[in-house]
Amino acid sequence: MKYTEKLRNSGLRPTKQRLQICEVLFETEKTFHFTINELSLKIKKQIDNKISLATIYNTVHAFEKKGYLKQIPINSNETYFDTNVSDHHHFYDLKKEKLIDLENADVGPIDIKRKIDGKKIKSVEILVKLED
Amino acid sequence: MKYTEKLRNSGLRPTKQRLQICEVLFETEKTFHFTINELSLKIKKQIDNKISLATIYNTVHAFEKKGYLKQIPINSNETYFDTNVSDHHHFYDLKKEKLIDLENADVGPIDIKRKIDGKKIKSVEILVKLED
DNA sequence: ACACTTTTTTAGAATCATTATAAACTACTT
DNA sequence: AAGTAGTTTATAATGATTCTAAAAAAGTGT
Ligand SMILES: [Mn+2]
Ligand SMILES: [Mn+2]
Ligand SMILES: [Zn+2]
Ligand SMILES: [Zn+2]
């Protein structure tokens, strides 16, 4: 299995559940955005055995900590995650409540002129809200 | 009272509670960021009578809808609001869990090149996460 | 294979920010 | 003053997320 090594290298045991979640998350043509609830439904559809919700939460958070997933800063009553972990920005369709990736070429260079003493910039994320 | 008219013009009755919340929110030198919980504590300190938590939630949401407050897109277990309703961006100090305003001069012009058919840009917000 | 340790999974309970309910109260209109 | 529509409030409900602790699985050494 191609994810076994990836998990081992991260200090995560390649369990059946984690490998299955890897398939659902990463064995896709395109990257995608999801909430835990949506991922849970996707898992139910794609695999036979049951994976507990607690394990899905645990795994998503473990993957996020390891950098295999990104949390998207947005106000919703559910937390959004992204399988696209490259630096990129988002449209947020307020009507559909859907995120859309902005490619790097879609956004001009961002110039943050201010500095805060003793602090480093970890990330710079743009959220563009869309209405009709 | 200076807020009575403002409320009336928005179709909101100028109740005692709303006027008091206006004072706590807007009768300040500087704008500020807050969670409902923080606002609730601030209200307790600044006024004598009690305002129920439900009213604080109702009022904050009413004011947001009217454009007197802005919700800041950030992932926290509590929702952040901003009394600064001008277009501006934020630093987020991950350690302190505090927001810092970026003035417009602090950020170069932002160029969103991509368009989505039938959708208009409602807002463009940058969140710069800071680590040590 | 076996014994032993550590990590992981799991069902269910707990947490807690937020929203809903519905009765009492207040502001506004006539 | 009476009527009504809007507001406040205590309290309950909701629901995403986290916690718990016991069972299962994975890794390690022999
Ligand atoms: Mn959802
Ligand atoms: Mn808060
Ligand atoms: Zn994305
Ligand atoms: Zn601000």
Side-chain angles (χ1 to χ4, degrees):
Chain A
M1 196 66 90
K2 70 202 284 197
Y3 297 110
T4 301
E5 186 129 356
K6 178 176 176 173
L7 289 171
R8 279 232 178 75
N9 292 340
S10 314
L12 298 171
R13 289 184 181 175
T15 63
K16 179 181 166 196
Q17 290 87 343
R18 284 178 178 155
L19 290 168
Q20 289 179 322
I21 293 174
C22 277
E23 297 224 345
V24 173
L25 289 176
F26 308 122
E27 203 70 21
T28 53
E29 186 71 25
K30 295 176 195 301
T31 61
F32 62 98
H33 308 111
F34 64 91
T35 63
I36 297 285
N37 181 52
E38 290 165 353
L39 177 60
S40 179
L41 295 174
K42 207 161 192 276
I43 288 168
K44 276 199 188 72
K45 267 188 286 193
Q46 291 188 29
I47 70 177
D48 291 325
N49 52 303
K50 187 198 179 195
I51 299 181
S52 81
L53 188 56
T55 296
I56 299 175
Y57 272 97
N58 289 341
T59 302
V60 165
H61 287 132
F63 287 3
E64 194 217 353
K65 189 165 288 179
K66 297 301 179 183
Y68 303 143
L69 290 174
K70 258 178 45 171
Q71 198 175 346
I72 301 173
I74 194 175
N75 292 118
S76 161
N77 86 322
E78 296 170 277
T79 304
Y80 275 86
F81 291 91
D82 198 338
T83 66
N84 179 353
V85 294
S86 73
D87 285 336
H88 69 285
H89 309 289
H90 294 95
F91 279 133
Y92 183 58
D93 186 326
L94 292 161
K95 173 85 79 53
K96 290 189 194 157
E97 295 184 321
K98 278 289 162 206
L99 287 157
I100 302 167
D101 274 356
L102 278 165
E103 306 300 325
N104 261 9
D106 295 332
V107 180
I110 301 158
D111 180 19
I112 307 295
K113 292 167 173 142
R114 179 146 164 233
K115 300 263 183 293
I116 302 280
D117 259 10
K119 297 285 176 184
K120 287 200 309 268
I121 289 175
K122 191 191 181 194
S123 65
V124 176
E125 303 187 55
I126 301 180
L127 183 67
V128 181
K129 290 183 184 162
L130 297 178
E131 61 188 352
D132 290 311
Chain B
M1 197 66 89
K2 69 202 284 195
Y3 297 110
T4 301
E5 187 131 356
K6 177 174 176 174
L7 289 171
R8 279 230 181 76
N9 292 341
S10 315
L12 298 172
R13 290 185 180 173
T15 62
K16 179 181 167 195
Q17 292 86 346
R18 284 179 179 155
L19 290 168
Q20 289 179 323
I21 294 175
C22 277
E23 297 224 345
V24 173
L25 288 176
F26 308 123
E27 204 69 20
T28 53
E29 186 72 24
K30 296 177 195 301
T31 61
F32 61 97
H33 308 111
F34 65 91
T35 63
I36 297 285
N37 181 54
E38 290 163 354
L39 177 60
S40 179
L41 296 173
K42 207 161 192 276
I43 288 168
K44 277 201 187 72
K45 267 189 285 194
Q46 292 188 29
I47 69 176
D48 290 327
N49 53 302
K50 186 197 179 195
I51 298 181
S52 82
L53 188 56
T55 296
I56 299 176
Y57 271 98
N58 289 341
T59 302
V60 165
H61 286 130
F63 287 3
E64 194 217 353
K65 190 166 287 180
K66 297 301 180 183
Y68 304 143
L69 290 174
K70 258 178 44 170
Q71 198 175 345
I72 302 173
I74 194 175
N75 292 118
S76 160
N77 86 320
E78 294 170 278
T79 304
Y80 275 87
F81 292 91
D82 198 339
T83 66
N84 179 352
V85 294
S86 74
D87 284 336
H88 68 284
H89 308 289
H90 294 95
F91 279 134
Y92 183 60
D93 186 328
L94 292 161
K95 171 84 78 56
K96 290 188 193 158
E97 294 185 323
K98 278 289 162 206
L99 286 158
I100 302 166
D101 273 356
L102 277 164
E103 307 301 325
N104 261 5
D106 295 333
V107 180
I110 301 158
D111 180 18
I112 307 295
K113 292 167 173 144
R114 181 147 161 229
K115 301 264 182 293
I116 302 281
D117 260 9
K119 297 285 176 184
K120 286 200 310 269
I121 289 177
K122 189 191 182 195
S123 66
V124 176
E125 302 187 55
I126 302 180
L127 183 67
V128 181
K129 290 184 185 162
L130 297 177
E131 61 187 353
D132 291 309

